[in-house]
PDB file of all heavy atoms in Angstrom:
ATOM      1  N   ARG A  47     109.592 -13.794 -73.993  1.00 91.00           N
ATOM      2  CA  ARG A  47     110.552 -14.900 -74.159  1.00 91.00           C
ATOM      3  C   ARG A  47     111.445 -14.675 -75.371  1.00 91.00           C
ATOM      4  O   ARG A  47     112.595 -15.118 -75.395  1.00 91.00           O
ATOM      5  CB  ARG A  47     109.767 -16.215 -74.302  1.00 91.00           C
ATOM      6  CG  ARG A  47     110.567 -17.429 -74.781  1.00 91.00           C
ATOM      7  CD  ARG A  47     111.647 -17.821 -73.801  1.00 91.00           C
ATOM      8  NE  ARG A  47     112.399 -18.968 -74.272  1.00 91.00           N
ATOM      9  CZ  ARG A  47     113.383 -18.924 -75.162  1.00 91.00           C
ATOM     10  NH1 ARG A  47     113.752 -17.755 -75.692  1.00 91.00           N
ATOM     11  NH2 ARG A  47     114.034 -20.028 -75.517  1.00 91.00           N
ATOM     12  N   TYR A  48     110.935 -13.967 -76.380  1.00 92.00           N
ATOM     13  CA  TYR A  48     111.705 -13.708 -77.587  1.00 92.00           C
ATOM     14  C   TYR A  48     112.185 -12.261 -77.667  1.00 92.00           C
ATOM     15  O   TYR A  48     112.479 -11.745 -78.745  1.00 92.00           O
ATOM     16  CB  TYR A  48     110.866 -14.065 -78.815  1.00 92.00           C
ATOM     17  CG  TYR A  48     110.367 -15.487 -78.778  1.00 92.00           C
ATOM     18  CD1 TYR A  48     109.016 -15.778 -78.935  1.00 92.00           C
ATOM     19  CD2 TYR A  48     111.245 -16.545 -78.530  1.00 92.00           C
ATOM     20  CE1 TYR A  48     108.554 -17.086 -78.873  1.00 92.00           C
ATOM     21  CE2 TYR A  48     110.790 -17.853 -78.461  1.00 92.00           C
ATOM     22  CZ  TYR A  48     109.449 -18.119 -78.630  1.00 92.00           C
ATOM     23  OH  TYR A  48     108.998 -19.411 -78.564  1.00 92.00           O
ATOM     24  N   GLU A 174     109.886 -25.577 -71.715  1.00 95.00           N
ATOM     25  CA  GLU A 174     111.343 -25.563 -71.506  1.00 95.00           C
ATOM     26  C   GLU A 174     111.742 -25.794 -70.052  1.00 95.00           C
ATOM     27  O   GLU A 174     112.913 -25.614 -69.706  1.00 95.00           O
ATOM     28  CB  GLU A 174     111.959 -24.235 -71.971  1.00 95.00           C
ATOM     29  CG  GLU A 174     111.663 -23.846 -73.402  1.00 95.00           C
ATOM     30  CD  GLU A 174     112.299 -22.531 -73.789  1.00 95.00           C
ATOM     31  OE1 GLU A 174     111.713 -21.474 -73.469  1.00 95.00           O
ATOM     32  OE2 GLU A 174     113.381 -22.559 -74.400  1.00 95.00           O
ATOM     33  N   GLN A 198     108.012 -29.314 -75.887  1.00 97.00           N
ATOM     34  CA  GLN A 198     109.202 -28.574 -75.475  1.00 97.00           C
ATOM     35  C   GLN A 198     109.643 -28.889 -74.039  1.00 97.00           C
ATOM     36  O   GLN A 198     109.630 -28.028 -73.164  1.00 97.00           O
ATOM     37  CB  GLN A 198     108.973 -27.077 -75.623  1.00 97.00           C
ATOM     38  CG  GLN A 198     110.262 -26.257 -75.623  1.00 97.00           C
ATOM     39  CD  GLN A 198     111.138 -26.493 -76.846  1.00 97.00           C
ATOM     40  OE1 GLN A 198     110.647 -26.525 -77.966  1.00 97.00           O
ATOM     41  NE2 GLN A 198     112.439 -26.638 -76.640  1.00 97.00           N
ATOM     42  N   LEU A 200     112.751 -29.608 -72.884  1.00 97.00           N
ATOM     43  CA  LEU A 200     114.040 -29.017 -72.536  1.00 97.00           C
ATOM     44  C   LEU A 200     114.158 -27.616 -73.124  1.00 97.00           C
ATOM     45  O   LEU A 200     113.479 -27.274 -74.099  1.00 97.00           O
ATOM     46  CB  LEU A 200     115.185 -29.885 -73.069  1.00 97.00           C
ATOM     47  CG  LEU A 200     115.187 -31.359 -72.666  1.00 97.00           C
ATOM     48  CD1 LEU A 200     116.450 -32.044 -73.181  1.00 97.00           C
ATOM     49  CD2 LEU A 200     115.049 -31.527 -71.165  1.00 97.00           C
ATOM     50  N   PRO A 201     115.035 -26.795 -72.562  1.00 96.00           N
ATOM     51  CA  PRO A 201     115.210 -25.452 -73.113  1.00 96.00           C
ATOM     52  C   PRO A 201     115.666 -25.485 -74.563  1.00 96.00           C
ATOM     53  O   PRO A 201     116.473 -26.336 -74.960  1.00 96.00           O
ATOM     54  CB  PRO A 201     116.289 -24.845 -72.208  1.00 96.00           C
ATOM     55  CG  PRO A 201     116.195 -25.607 -70.924  1.00 96.00           C
ATOM     56  CD  PRO A 201     115.819 -27.002 -71.330  1.00 96.00           C
ATOM     57  N   ALA A 202     115.157 -24.563 -75.355  1.00 95.00           N
ATOM     58  CA  ALA A 202     115.624 -24.412 -76.731  1.00 95.00           C
ATOM     59  C   ALA A 202     117.125 -24.123 -76.706  1.00 95.00           C
ATOM     60  O   ALA A 202     117.607 -23.358 -75.884  1.00 95.00           O
ATOM     61  CB  ALA A 202     114.874 -23.285 -77.425  1.00 95.00           C
ATOM     62  N   GLY A 203     117.860 -24.756 -77.587  1.00 90.00           N
ATOM     63  CA  GLY A 203     119.306 -24.592 -77.588  1.00 90.00           C
ATOM     64  C   GLY A 203     120.014 -25.594 -76.710  1.00 90.00           C
ATOM     65  O   GLY A 203     121.240 -25.740 -76.781  1.00 90.00           O
ATOM     66  N   GLN A 204     119.259 -26.315 -75.873  1.00 93.00           N
ATOM     67  CA  GLN A 204     119.821 -27.362 -75.024  1.00 93.00           C
ATOM     68  C   GLN A 204     119.102 -28.683 -75.247  1.00 93.00           C
ATOM     69  O   GLN A 204     119.083 -29.551 -74.379  1.00 93.00           O
ATOM     70  CB  GLN A 204     119.712 -26.959 -73.549  1.00 93.00           C
ATOM     71  CG  GLN A 204     120.432 -25.669 -73.204  1.00 93.00           C
ATOM     72  CD  GLN A 204     120.245 -25.278 -71.744  1.00 93.00           C
ATOM     73  OE1 GLN A 204     120.117 -26.127 -70.875  1.00 93.00           O
ATOM     74  NE2 GLN A 204     120.231 -23.982 -71.471  1.00 93.00           N
ATOM     75  N   ASP A 205     118.508 -28.824 -76.426  1.00 94.00           N
ATOM     76  CA  ASP A 205     117.660 -29.985 -76.659  1.00 94.00           C
ATOM     77  C   ASP A 205     118.309 -31.063 -77.522  1.00 94.00           C
ATOM     78  O   ASP A 205     117.650 -31.986 -77.979  1.00 94.00           O
ATOM     79  CB  ASP A 205     116.332 -29.561 -77.283  1.00 94.00           C
ATOM     80  CG  ASP A 205     116.500 -28.717 -78.537  1.00 94.00           C
ATOM     81  OD1 ASP A 205     117.658 -28.526 -78.970  1.00 94.00           O
ATOM     82  OD2 ASP A 205     115.480 -28.245 -79.078  1.00 94.00           O
ATOM     83  N   ALA A 219     108.408 -29.777 -80.777  1.00 98.00           N
ATOM     84  CA  ALA A 219     109.194 -28.548 -80.656  1.00 98.00           C
ATOM     85  C   ALA A 219     108.276 -27.338 -80.691  1.00 98.00           C
ATOM     86  O   ALA A 219     107.470 -27.194 -81.599  1.00 98.00           O
ATOM     87  CB  ALA A 219     110.208 -28.461 -81.786  1.00 98.00           C
ATOM     88  N   ASP A 220     108.424 -26.472 -79.696  1.00 97.00           N
ATOM     89  CA  ASP A 220     107.710 -25.196 -79.705  1.00 97.00           C
ATOM     90  C   ASP A 220     108.728 -24.068 -79.737  1.00 97.00           C
ATOM     91  O   ASP A 220     109.037 -23.521 -80.787  1.00 97.00           O
ATOM     92  CB  ASP A 220     106.788 -25.089 -78.496  1.00 97.00           C
ATOM     93  CG  ASP A 220     105.996 -23.779 -78.480  1.00 97.00           C
ATOM     94  OD1 ASP A 220     106.143 -22.962 -79.415  1.00 97.00           O
ATOM     95  OD2 ASP A 220     105.224 -23.548 -77.534  1.00 97.00           O
ATOM     96  N   GLU A 221     109.295 -23.738 -78.584  1.00 96.00           N
ATOM     97  CA  GLU A 221     110.268 -22.653 -78.547  1.00 96.00           C
ATOM     98  C   GLU A 221     111.483 -22.915 -79.439  1.00 96.00           C
ATOM     99  O   GLU A 221     112.175 -21.971 -79.850  1.00 96.00           O
ATOM    100  CB  GLU A 221     110.726 -22.402 -77.100  1.00 96.00           C
ATOM    101  CG  GLU A 221     109.703 -21.710 -76.226  1.00 96.00           C
ATOM    102  CD  GLU A 221     108.711 -22.651 -75.568  1.00 96.00           C
ATOM    103  OE1 GLU A 221     108.658 -23.843 -75.946  1.00 96.00           O
ATOM    104  OE2 GLU A 221     107.975 -22.205 -74.665  1.00 96.00           O
ATOM    105  N   SER A 222     111.747 -24.177 -79.764  1.00 97.00           N
ATOM    106  CA  SER A 222     112.878 -24.514 -80.630  1.00 97.00           C
ATOM    107  C   SER A 222     112.587 -24.327 -82.110  1.00 97.00           C
ATOM    108  O   SER A 222     113.510 -24.340 -82.930  1.00 97.00           O
ATOM    109  CB  SER A 222     113.309 -25.969 -80.401  1.00 97.00           C
ATOM    110  OG  SER A 222     113.901 -26.143 -79.136  1.00 97.00           O
ATOM    111  N   CYS A 223     111.320 -24.177 -82.472  1.00 97.00           N
ATOM    112  CA  CYS A 223     110.943 -24.140 -83.888  1.00 97.00           C
ATOM    113  C   CYS A 223     110.230 -22.833 -84.220  1.00 97.00           C
ATOM    114  O   CYS A 223     109.166 -22.544 -83.660  1.00 97.00           O
ATOM    115  CB  CYS A 223     110.031 -25.322 -84.208  1.00 97.00           C
ATOM    116  SG  CYS A 223     109.518 -25.398 -85.941  1.00 97.00           S
ATOM    117  N   HIS A 224     110.814 -22.080 -85.145  1.00 96.00           N
ATOM    118  CA  HIS A 224     110.223 -20.802 -85.534  1.00 96.00           C
ATOM    119  C   HIS A 224     109.845 -20.776 -87.013  1.00 96.00           C
ATOM    120  O   HIS A 224     108.688 -20.539 -87.351  1.00 96.00           O
ATOM    121  CB  HIS A 224     111.188 -19.656 -85.209  1.00 96.00           C
ATOM    122  CG  HIS A 224     111.347 -19.414 -83.743  1.00 96.00           C
ATOM    123  ND1 HIS A 224     110.932 -18.258 -83.118  1.00 96.00           N
ATOM    124  CD2 HIS A 224     111.858 -20.193 -82.763  1.00 96.00           C
ATOM    125  CE1 HIS A 224     111.183 -18.330 -81.815  1.00 96.00           C
ATOM    126  NE2 HIS A 224     111.765 -19.503 -81.583  1.00 96.00           N
ATOM    127  N   THR A 228     114.616 -23.411 -89.828  1.00 87.00           N
ATOM    128  CA  THR A 228     115.122 -23.964 -88.562  1.00 87.00           C
ATOM    129  C   THR A 228     114.785 -25.442 -88.416  1.00 87.00           C
ATOM    130  O   THR A 228     115.189 -26.066 -87.437  1.00 87.00           O
ATOM    131  CB  THR A 228     114.546 -23.202 -87.353  1.00 87.00           C
ATOM    132  OG1 THR A 228     113.129 -23.467 -87.255  1.00 87.00           O
ATOM    133  CG2 THR A 228     114.769 -21.704 -87.466  1.00 87.00           C
ATOM    134  N   GLN A 231     117.509 -28.912 -88.295  1.00 92.00           N
ATOM    135  CA  GLN A 231     118.266 -29.281 -87.105  1.00 92.00           C
ATOM    136  C   GLN A 231     117.397 -29.929 -86.017  1.00 92.00           C
ATOM    137  O   GLN A 231     117.915 -30.364 -84.992  1.00 92.00           O
ATOM    138  CB  GLN A 231     118.940 -28.044 -86.513  1.00 92.00           C
ATOM    139  CG  GLN A 231     117.963 -26.975 -86.035  1.00 92.00           C
ATOM    140  CD  GLN A 231     118.662 -25.680 -85.655  1.00 92.00           C
ATOM    141  OE1 GLN A 231     119.865 -25.534 -85.828  1.00 92.00           O
ATOM    142  NE2 GLN A 231     117.902 -24.728 -85.146  1.00 92.00           N
ATOM    143  N   LEU A 232     116.100 -30.023 -86.274  1.00 96.00           N
ATOM    144  CA  LEU A 232     115.188 -30.559 -85.262  1.00 96.00           C
ATOM    145  C   LEU A 232     114.700 -31.965 -85.564  1.00 96.00           C
ATOM    146  O   LEU A 232     114.129 -32.620 -84.685  1.00 96.00           O
ATOM    147  CB  LEU A 232     113.963 -29.638 -85.126  1.00 96.00           C
ATOM    148  CG  LEU A 232     114.230 -28.171 -84.811  1.00 96.00           C
ATOM    149  CD1 LEU A 232     112.907 -27.396 -84.781  1.00 96.00           C
ATOM    150  CD2 LEU A 232     114.980 -28.009 -83.499  1.00 96.00           C
ATOM    151  N   ARG A 235     115.470 -34.793 -83.219  1.00 97.00           N
ATOM    152  CA  ARG A 235     115.152 -34.551 -81.811  1.00 97.00           C
ATOM    153  C   ARG A 235     113.658 -34.622 -81.518  1.00 97.00           C
ATOM    154  O   ARG A 235     113.249 -34.991 -80.420  1.00 97.00           O
ATOM    155  CB  ARG A 235     115.670 -33.168 -81.388  1.00 97.00           C
ATOM    156  CG  ARG A 235     117.132 -32.948 -81.688  1.00 97.00           C
ATOM    157  CD  ARG A 235     117.569 -31.514 -81.410  1.00 97.00           C
ATOM    158  NE  ARG A 235     118.928 -31.281 -81.912  1.00 97.00           N
ATOM    159  CZ  ARG A 235     119.570 -30.136 -81.784  1.00 97.00           C
ATOM    160  NH1 ARG A 235     118.996 -29.098 -81.175  1.00 97.00           N
ATOM    161  NH2 ARG A 235     120.799 -30.015 -82.272  1.00 97.00           N
ATOM    162  N   TYR A 236     112.869 -34.221 -82.488  1.00 98.00           N
ATOM    163  CA  TYR A 236     111.423 -34.106 -82.291  1.00 98.00           C
ATOM    164  C   TYR A 236     110.681 -34.888 -83.371  1.00 98.00           C
ATOM    165  O   TYR A 236     111.163 -35.067 -84.490  1.00 98.00           O
ATOM    166  CB  TYR A 236     110.990 -32.648 -82.356  1.00 98.00           C
ATOM    167  CG  TYR A 236     111.566 -31.771 -81.278  1.00 98.00           C
ATOM    168  CD1 TYR A 236     112.725 -31.022 -81.510  1.00 98.00           C
ATOM    169  CD2 TYR A 236     110.948 -31.675 -80.032  1.00 98.00           C
ATOM    170  CE1 TYR A 236     113.243 -30.205 -80.521  1.00 98.00           C
ATOM    171  CE2 TYR A 236     111.476 -30.859 -79.041  1.00 98.00           C
ATOM    172  CZ  TYR A 236     112.624 -30.122 -79.294  1.00 98.00           C
ATOM    173  OH  TYR A 236     113.144 -29.317 -78.317  1.00 98.00           O
ATOM    174  N   LYS A 245     105.623 -16.744 -83.935  1.00 97.00           N
ATOM    175  CA  LYS A 245     107.007 -17.200 -84.129  1.00 97.00           C
ATOM    176  C   LYS A 245     107.401 -17.161 -85.602  1.00 97.00           C
ATOM    177  O   LYS A 245     108.505 -16.731 -85.938  1.00 97.00           O
ATOM    178  CB  LYS A 245     107.185 -18.618 -83.594  1.00 97.00           C
ATOM    179  CG  LYS A 245     107.026 -18.771 -82.093  1.00 97.00           C
ATOM    180  CD  LYS A 245     107.376 -20.184 -81.647  1.00 97.00           C
ATOM    181  CE  LYS A 245     106.517 -21.225 -82.349  1.00 97.00           C
ATOM    182  NZ  LYS A 245     106.945 -22.613 -82.048  1.00 97.00           N
TER     183      LYS A 245
END
Side-chain angles (χ1 to χ4, degrees):
R47 167 64 180 81
Y48 304 127
E174 305 180 278
Q198 197 67 45
L200 305 185
Q204 300 178 32
D205 53 4
D220 181 1
E221 286 86 348
S222 291
C223 181
H224 290 246
T228 68
Q231 63 189 5
L232 304 177
R235 307 173 189 181
Y236 297 95
K245 294 186 302 173

